[in-house]
Amino acid sequence: MRFTFQPIRVATGFDEEGMMVLDEKQRLVAVLVRLSDDNEVAAGQWYLEAGFGWLDGGSHPTFSNLDLAQDWITQRLAHRAPA
């Protein structure tokens, strides 16, 4: 599975650096937000602000880089894809 990452500003109230994650059909599957360096829990990491379809749910993990975020998204969607 291949994804396209497109930068976007996200109005979270504090962390605005974001990435839209689009699938091969250019459908929005997730929005990631980079947590500020001042964040006390996960400074500089990428946070799953919103997931759509199979990525929607209670889990909002953080990732140290976008490659790890892509791996997680790929795994989640691969396990849910219809045969």
Side-chain angles (χ1 to χ4, degrees), residues 2-4 21-29 77:
R2 296 185 57 92
F3 299 98
T4 302
V21 183
L22 307 170
D23 69 6
E24 296 165 332
K25 296 180 182 178
Q26 295 301 295
R27 297 176 297 187
L28 181 63
V29 296
L77 296 179

Side-chain angles (χ1 to χ4, degrees), residues 21-22 25-27 34 38 46 48-50 53-54 60-61:
V21 183
L22 307 170
K25 296 180 182 178
Q26 295 301 295
R27 297 176 297 187
R34 185 183 171 281
D38 296 329
W46 290 91
L48 178 67
E49 184 71 35
W54 292 113
H60 290 269

Side-chain angles (χ1 to χ4, degrees):
M1 234 175 248
R2 296 185 57 92
F3 299 98
T4 302
F5 289 82
Q6 292 184 359
I8 190 167
R9 291 181 63 193
V10 181
T12 63
F14 32 86
D15 300 317
E16 291 190 356
E17 181 183 351
M19 287 285 176
M20 292 188 302
V21 183
L22 307 170
D23 69 6
E24 296 165 332
K25 296 180 182 178
Q26 295 301 295
R27 297 176 297 187
L28 181 63
V29 296
V31 176
L32 301 170
V33 172
R34 185 183 171 281
L35 301 175
S36 75
D37 292 332
D38 296 329
N39 184 291
E40 295 178 7
V41 177
Q45 294 199 18
W46 290 91
Y47 171 73
L48 178 67
E49 184 71 35
F52 305 98
W54 292 113
L55 299 178
D56 188 20
S59 178
H60 290 269
T62 58
F63 310 96
S64 59
N65 59 57
L66 292 174
D67 288 336
L68 291 175
Q70 179 168 306
D71 291 346
W72 182 86
I73 292 168
T74 299
Q75 289 173 1
R76 290 285 300 235
L77 296 179
H79 285 82
R80 307 284 195 231

